[in-house]
Amino acid sequence: MGPMQTASDRHEYPAHWEADVVLRDGGTARIRPITVDDAERLVSFYEQVSDESKYYRFFAPYPRLSAKDVHRFTHHDFVDRVGLAATIGGEFIATVRYDRINAAGLSASAPADEAEVAFLVQDAHQGRGVASALLEHIAAVARERDIRRFAAEVLPANSKMIKVFTDAGYTQKRSFEDGVVRLEFDLEPTDRSLAVQRAREQRAEARSVQRLLAPGAVAVIGAGRTPGGVGRSILGNLRDAGFTGRLYAVNRAFPEDLKNFDEVPAHRSVLDIAEPVDLAVVAVPAAHVPEAVAECGEHGVQGLVVVSSGYAESGPEGRERQRELVRQIRTYGMRLIGPNAFGVINTSPEVRLNASLAPETPRPGRIGLYAQSGAIGIALLSRLHRRGAASPGTRACRPSCRPATARTCPATTYSSTGTTTPTPMSP
């Protein structure tokens, strides 16, 4: 649950508005209500927005927020005034707010059913679909509060924001007056708006899963010197499968002067790797996983496969450790397979990924496999291998597997060309 408002506010903090979302490029962010405790985050966020984006938001040069602005943008009653933020690593990357208005455009309360809406997205995150995701969520919040229509005023040069509104699929009315484009649209979902939302989610999920199954660089954290160790075995399987991307061995115990380990570059920390890392396989004791996750988050790693055990399968203490892991993963916007996972395999010739404990992989083909049980996954892989069946993509993990940051895991079929076709799958 997020931070709480003060006792003077009309409604308690609406925790059910919090949500994890998958963005257009496959990354993730967390959407939550803005509260009085977010003043410093808001100021820091605004300082990282370009002067042009600030101008588009306020229609005038607006280099910094005043104390009055900060108070206004962090104090909400969650009925007539609502603000949401998209966050990564606990920091704001975008905000949206609505203010209920009457027919004259002045601040109002129910039964007025119209609200003015405005967005601001950090320039570094524009083009990722953040505003579209925020619009979907703020519209749902508004409907919950009996608001039926949004109005937005946008400068004509702000084509990106106009496109967000026009592409949303709602019934709209557009006018132009005093150099400003005014958009009005009903919030009642239409067939088109629902189709737009489903298509956005499907494309985002496909790209997100592709990050896990077709990485350009993989780091194995916990690749130890002991023969037969989990980390070293996975490193060997990746190397022997002929992984086409960059491969790194990471272990805090490596000597500082060690340059290579088992024929791959060696590092004491993922932070020491100069190039981007798409996927990290974490094979360290559960007590050391949080440190490894934090370093991956700081480095910008996009997905994790945590093969470490000692989580929900081990009892109440392990279940709490697992909840903490999911919370930590969420703060960095990473995707997670695991914990206590068997691994992932993609036999596409363009990838040849065997980030798993399976020493042998099926030949390339069009059979996709997802198993929530590592034992069943191993048995199926063994049977496929004996029968010579072709399988392009495999993921085997515990029931706690959360590739979609604590959302239902999609089954994915990978063809030999690396394309994806995600379909819903029950938890």
Side-chain angles (χ1 to χ4, degrees):
M1 186 171 177
M4 300 295 292
Q5 292 286 89
T6 63
S8 61
D9 290 299
R10 290 171 52 186
H11 284 257
E12 291 185 348
Y13 179 85
H16 64 288
W17 291 352
E18 295 183 356
D20 296 317
V21 296
V22 185
L23 304 178
R24 182 177 297 149
D25 59 1
T28 64
R30 186 159 183 79
I31 293 177
R32 66 166 178 83
I34 299 173
T35 75
V36 296
D37 298 324
D38 290 318
E40 291 185 4
R41 291 186 186 89
L42 180 66
V43 172
S44 176
F45 158 73
Y46 194 77
E47 288 175 347
Q48 298 177 62
V49 175
S50 71
D51 290 339
E52 180 182 55
S53 293
K54 292 173 182 176
Y55 187 90
Y56 284 158
R57 170 63 176 84
F58 293 104
F59 298 0
Y62 217 89
R64 63 188 59 86
L65 296 176
S66 67
K68 184 177 180 180
D69 292 327
V70 173
H71 184 276
R72 178 190 172 204
F73 294 145
T74 56
H75 286 68
H76 306 101
D77 61 13
F78 301 129
V79 178
D80 301 326
R81 301 183 311 280
V82 171
L84 301 179
T87 67
I88 294 179
E91 300 301 319
F92 288 5
I93 65 167
T95 62
V96 62
R97 65 176 282 118
Y98 78 63
D99 294 270
R100 194 188 299 258
I101 57 175
N102 58 22
L106 302 176
S107 296
S109 298
D113 63 357
E114 183 174 355
E116 190 171 53
V117 64
F119 295 78
L120 186 60
V121 181
Q122 276 185 3
D123 297 69
H125 295 280
Q126 291 177 11
R128 302 184 65 196
V130 182
S132 296
L134 281 173
L135 177 58
E136 290 177 8
H137 283 74
I138 198 75
V141 167
R143 289 193 295 268
E144 181 180 322
R145 297 308 193 204
D146 295 323
I147 291 173
R148 301 296 174 228
R149 186 168 55 259
F150 271 165
E153 292 187 343
V154 187
L155 290 175
N158 193 359
S159 56
K160 292 180 181 178
M161 198 69 249
I162 293 175
K163 182 174 174 57
V164 168
F165 288 123
T166 56
D167 288 353
Y170 295 109
T171 303
Q172 298 185 9
K173 182 175 69 173
R174 182 189 298 203
S175 59
F176 183 80
E177 187 176 350
D178 296 330
V180 174
V181 177
R182 180 176 177 84
L183 298 167
E184 298 179 16
F185 49 98
D186 296 331
L187 297 182
E188 187 66 27
T190 65
D191 290 342
R192 181 166 177 262
S193 70
L194 294 174
V196 167
Q197 182 175 342
R198 286 193 295 267
R200 183 192 68 78
E201 291 177 347
Q202 187 179 43
R203 287 193 301 269
E205 291 285 2
R207 291 190 178 110
S208 185
V209 173
Q210 189 170 15
R211 286 180 165 197
L212 296 171
L213 287 179
V218 176
V220 179
I221 303 174
R225 296 193 172 195
T226 303
V230 172
R232 188 167 187 177
S233 296
I234 293 176
L235 181 69
N237 292 342
L238 278 160
R239 183 196 60 219
D240 295 343
F243 175 57
T244 58
R246 301 184 307 277
L247 184 59
Y248 305 96
V250 178
N251 193 317
R252 186 71 68 184
F254 284 160
E256 293 186 4
D257 59 349
L258 184 67
K259 302 301 181 184
N260 289 280
F261 177 76
D262 278 2
E263 304 176 20
V264 302
H267 300 276
R268 290 168 51 85
S269 167
V270 72
L271 295 173
D272 298 332
I273 301 174
E275 299 82 7
V277 174
D278 301 309
L279 179 69
V281 181
V282 180
V284 299
H288 299 295
V289 169
E291 179 184 3
V293 171
E295 292 185 352
C296 288
E298 292 175 23
H299 190 276
V301 175
Q302 298 173 347
L304 297 181
V305 176
V306 178
V307 300
S308 310
S309 59
Y311 289 89
E313 82 284 352
S314 64
E317 184 178 342
R319 282 194 293 272
E320 180 56 33
R321 185 181 295 120
Q322 184 165 301
R323 284 192 287 267
E324 287 296 329
L325 172 62
V326 172
R327 282 193 285 266
Q328 187 181 18
I329 291 289
R330 281 173 170 168
T331 64
Y332 291 108
M334 293 186 289
R335 312 311 300 274
L336 169 66
I337 289 180
N340 200 14
F342 177 72
V344 294
I345 298 172
N346 182 1
T347 60
S348 166
E350 288 77 20
V351 182
R352 297 200 294 274
L353 175 75
N354 183 11
S356 79
L357 292 168
E360 299 176 327
T361 61
R363 62 186 178 85
R366 298 188 62 84
I367 300 174
L369 169 64
Y370 168 80
Q372 288 187 314
S373 165
I376 292 176
I378 293 170
L380 288 172
L381 277 175
S382 178
R383 180 65 63 87
L384 285 170
H385 184 75
R386 288 200 303 270
R387 297 185 63 173
S391 173
T394 300
R395 287 177 294 174
C397 50
R398 302 288 296 182
S400 56
C401 167
R402 291 297 181 263
T405 57
R407 297 174 58 180
T408 301
C409 179
T412 301
T413 300
Y414 254 71
S415 73
S416 60
T417 58
T419 57
T420 59
T421 307
T423 55
M425 186 174 188
S426 299

